Amino acid sequence: MVVEIIRYDIAPESAQHFITAYTEAGTYLNRSPHCLSYEIINGVEEPNHFIIRIEWESMEGHMQGFRRSPEFQHFFAGVKPFFNAILEMKHYSVIAASDR
């Protein structure tokens, strides 16, 4: 498994549009066999900061599977207006985790 983290700085007047766009785009993540789960997280201290956390079954599944699928085209069309607000977009390996 690999975790993709996308950090955004979203202007307050665009926050609801951002949330709606990612919620709708999430339907295409759910359709992909390569996506295990995703989260939309909003900063408490800095409400203009958002994190999208996506668990992929593998790096190849994300980059070669999802990104070459019809689902990606729909997903990207929905979130593309926020592309310039990205602060970070990287993949991480999970070292330790707990489900409580």
Side-chain angles (χ1 to χ4, degrees), residues 26-42:
T27 63
Y28 299 102
L29 292 173
N30 284 334
R31 291 180 188 172
S32 173
H34 305 288
C35 179
L36 304 177
S37 68
Y38 75 93
E39 295 176 302
I40 304 168
I41 303 168
N42 186 216

Side-chain angles (χ1 to χ4, degrees), residues 11-27:
E13 61 272 13
S14 299
Q16 190 54 55
H17 182 223
F18 175 84
I19 293 166
T20 300
Y22 254 102
T23 301
E24 291 173 1
T27 63

Side-chain angles (χ1 to χ4, degrees), residues 11-98:
E13 61 272 13
S14 299
Q16 190 54 55
H17 182 223
F18 175 84
I19 293 166
T20 300
Y22 254 102
T23 301
E24 291 173 1
T27 63
Y28 299 102
L29 292 173
N30 284 334
R31 291 180 188 172
S32 173
H34 305 288
C35 179
L36 304 177
S37 68
Y38 75 93
E39 295 176 302
I40 304 168
I41 303 168
N42 186 216
V44 174
E45 293 85 2
E46 297 176 291
N48 56 308
H49 286 184
F50 287 83
I51 295 174
I52 307 301
R53 181 183 180 279
I54 306 172
E55 291 184 6
W56 298 102
E57 46 90 21
S58 68
M59 186 76 162
E60 295 77 22
H62 176 212
M63 302 303 289
Q64 305 302 318
F66 180 68
R67 288 222 175 152
R68 292 183 177 175
S69 72
E71 289 83 9
F72 175 74
Q73 301 304 316
H74 296 290
F75 170 83
F76 188 67
V79 301
K80 186 177 180 182
F82 304 101
F83 194 77
N84 290 333
I86 293 174
L87 300 172
E88 173 189 14
M89 181 168 43
K90 296 187 179 173
H91 294 89
Y92 294 86
S93 296
V94 175
I95 303 301
S98 173

